Amino acid sequence: MSTAAASSGRPHVLVVPFPPMGHLLPLLDFSHLLSTRHCVRITVTVTPSCLHLLSDFLASTPLAAALPLPLPDPSAPEHAGQIAPGTHHALLAAPLSTLRGSLVSWARSQLDPPTTVLSDFFLGSAQLVADDLRVPRVAFYGVGAFTTAALEQLWNSTLPLDPNNDAALSALPGSPSFPYGHVPSVVRSYVPGDPDWELVREGFLLNSRAWGAVVNTFDAMESDFLEHLKRRFGHGRVWAVGPVANSGCRVGERPTAEAEELFSWLAGCPERSVLYVCFGSMYKPPLSQAAALGAALEASGVRFVWAVSADVAVFPDGLEERARARDKGRVVCGWAPQMEILRHASVGAFVTHCGWNSTLEGVAAGVTLVAWPMKADQFIDARLVVDVHGAAVRAAEGEDAVPDSGALARVFAGAVEGAELGGVRAKARTLAAAAGDAVEEGGSSWLDFERMVKELEAVSAP
Ligand code: UDP
C-alpha cells in the first residue's frame, strides 16, 4: 500500500471514536497502550461535549492531542429524550461523511500527517478518509469477536429481518441463532431506503475493506470467532489485544469522597461476599424493574453495591437508608469506579447487562457474572459467557423484564454464597486466569499487539 509521507518516520494515528462511553473508553485504553508502549503519536477527533472526557487520557498519554470536531453528540444533554433508541448511529454517520473533506484538509496541512486512521467500527465511513489520505485504516472493535462476526453476517444479509423468525447465523462457528428481539438493536433499527440509515449500513460494510481489525478480546475467550473473522476479511490482520482496560488510565476514576467511603465499607466486608450491580453507562431501569431488583437484593440477604450512572430516582424508596442501617450495602448514583470495585477482594459477583466492556472486566476480575442482557450486543455476550464458556449464570433477559423478586433473590444469594454453582465458578476462574495471561508479556494478546505495531510501523515507514 502506498502511504503518505511521514516526516518523523514514526506512526501517527488519527483516532476516530464513537462518543458513547462504552465505545470511547476501550478505544482510549487501546490508544494509550499504543502511544506509551511504542511512542506512537495520537490525534483523537472528539465532539466538543466529550472533550472533558479526554483530560485523563491526554494527561497520561504525552504523545496524544485532541482535535475537536463539530459532530453532534447523542449523549449530550440537549439531545436527552429526543433520540429514539438505535438512532445514535444515523445521527452520527451523516455528519461524519460531511466532515470527510475537512478531516482530509486538516491531515494534509500537518507537518507530520497521520499515517493510519483508527476508527471505531461504528464509524466505518472513516475508511473514505483513509482512502483519500492513501493510508491504511484499522477498525477497532470494542465488542467481542462473536458480535463482530454476527454483525458482519447480518449487515450482508437481506434486511429488514423477519420479526417472526429467529436470525440464523449459519456462517458462524456453531451456527448459532437468536430470536429476533435478541438481534443487535442497530440492525433491527435500520430503515431500508432512509438515507441516514443507508449511510450506517454502508459504514458497517466498509469495515470489511479495513486494512486491519483490532478486537478487544483474547484468544482463549473467542478463538473460533477470531479465526472466522480472518477467513471472512480475507487476511490475517485481525488482532485480539484485550482486555485493553488493564492499561489503568481509565477516565472518570479519580478518587472522590464517595468512592473513599465506599472502599472503606468494602474493606470491612468478608472476602467475595459483595454483589455488585451495574447495567453500564447508559441503561436506566424502569421503576417497576428497579423495584423488583431492590426487593430481590434485600430479600437475598447479600451485601451489595448498586450503581446507576444516571439517576437517583431509580432506587426504591428507603433502600439506601435500610442498607446502610443494616450494614448490607451502598448505592452509587453517578459514575462508579467499576474496575476498582470489581477487583476488590470483597466483591464476589456482578449483576451485569453484559455490555462487552463490563463482561470483559468481570471476566478479568474473576467474579461470578450474573447475566441480565438488555439490548444491543448483550444477548450475544451473555450467550458467550453463559452457554459457550459455562462461566456465568443468568438472572433475567430484556429491558421489559420484571422478574419475580423471590426467584431473583435466590440467584443473587447463590452467586455470592453458593457452592461451586455446577462448575461455573471454576470455569470463571479459568477464564480470568487466561485473561490475565493473555496481556502478560508473551501472552496471546501481548503478542498480537506487538505484531500489529510491527505491521503498522512497516506500512508507515516513509
Ligand atoms: N462504567 C463505569 N462506571 C459506571 C458505569 C460504567 O466505570 O458507573 C464503565 C464500565 O467499567 C465499562 C463501561 O463504562 O467500561 C460501560 O461499557 P459496557 O460495554 O459495559 O456498557 P455500555 O455502557 O456500553 O452499555
Side-chain angles (χ1 to χ4, degrees), residues 22 25 250 278 280-282 334-336 338 353 355-358 361:
L25 289 172
R250 268 292 151 100
C278 181
S281 61
M282 292 185 287
W335 193 253
Q338 176 159 308
H353 68 320
W356 183 247
N357 297 292
S358 294
E361 290 160 16

Side-chain angles (χ1 to χ4, degrees), residues 20-23 25-26 142 250-251 253 276 278-283 307-309 332 334-339 342 352-359 361 378:
M21 291 300 264
H23 286 254
L25 289 172
R250 268 292 151 100
V251 294
E253 294 220 354
Y276 171 58
C278 181
F279 298 120
S281 61
M282 292 185 287
Y283 186 70
V308 173
S309 57
V332 179
W335 193 253
Q338 176 159 308
M339 302 255 305
L342 286 170
T352 172
H353 68 320
C354 292
W356 183 247
N357 297 292
S358 294
T359 303
E361 290 160 16
Q378 297 152 19

